[in-house]
Amino acid sequence: MASEPSTQSRVMFQADKREEPAHRKLGKLTVKYNRKDLQRRLDIEEWIDGQLHLLFDCEEEEIPELEIDIDELLELTDEGQRTRLQELLQECGKPKEEFINGLLYRIKGLRKMSGPLKK
């Protein structure tokens, strides 16, 4: 389609007066959480996921709605953690003590993510 510039109407948008500079200054990035702690937590969550597949002996879509909140567990006493995990896993027909013991062992020494990082 050939167009003639003189007969074609144009729509112009007024640009914002505060345009971004060609290159922005990079701000300082603060790190709230230790990278090792984050990796350890991720490893634990992946372990939990794998163990739940074994416990319920099914695909991910078939696992009952179950959320194991590590931060919630960290707020509880050792016995409270064990009781909470037993409550969450009550629908599971397989023995779950090995899973519970393994999880409690893995979360020892973890810090809550919502709290400030202390050095």
Side-chain angles (χ1 to χ4, degrees), residues 3-13:
S3 63
E4 296 175 36
S6 59
T7 61
Q8 185 107 181
S9 31
R10 288 189 167 171
V11 176
M12 301 288 285
F13 294 99

Side-chain angles (χ1 to χ4, degrees), residues 9-113:
S9 31
R10 288 189 167 171
V11 176
M12 301 288 285
F13 294 99
Q14 190 172 10
D16 189 7
K17 304 257 188 232
R18 298 173 287 134
E19 290 186 22
E20 293 289 322
H23 58 282
R24 287 193 207 174
K25 274 187 164 180
L26 293 177
K28 289 184 180 180
L29 177 65
T30 58
V31 178
K32 186 173 181 180
Y33 303 112
N34 182 318
R35 182 171 287 183
K36 282 184 180 180
D37 289 345
L38 290 173
Q39 185 60 52
R40 184 172 172 209
R41 183 175 287 261
L42 178 62
D43 291 344
I44 291 171
E45 288 176 358
E46 288 173 350
W47 179 84
I48 289 171
D49 189 49
Q51 293 300 307
L52 289 177
H53 287 285
L54 295 173
L55 276 175
F56 287 95
D57 197 26
C58 60
E59 296 299 317
E60 185 169 346
E61 299 82 33
E62 299 169 355
I63 292 178
E65 188 65 34
L66 178 67
E67 183 178 339
I68 297 176
D69 185 347
I70 294 173
D71 285 329
E72 176 189 345
L73 291 175
L74 292 173
E75 292 176 351
L76 301 172
T77 64
D78 289 349
E79 193 53 42
Q81 292 172 345
R82 182 173 301 281
T83 303
R84 180 67 180 136
L85 288 170
Q86 288 169 342
E87 290 170 0
L88 290 170
L89 297 169
Q90 66 187 357
E91 292 180 30
C92 178
K94 291 186 176 181
K96 43 202 165 271
E97 281 306 308
E98 188 176 326
F99 168 76
I100 292 173
N101 290 336
L103 179 56
L104 294 178
Y105 175 77
R106 284 171 172 78
I107 66 171
K108 287 217 183 298
L110 271 184
R111 289 179 280 211
K112 279 184 54 181
M113 295 304 281

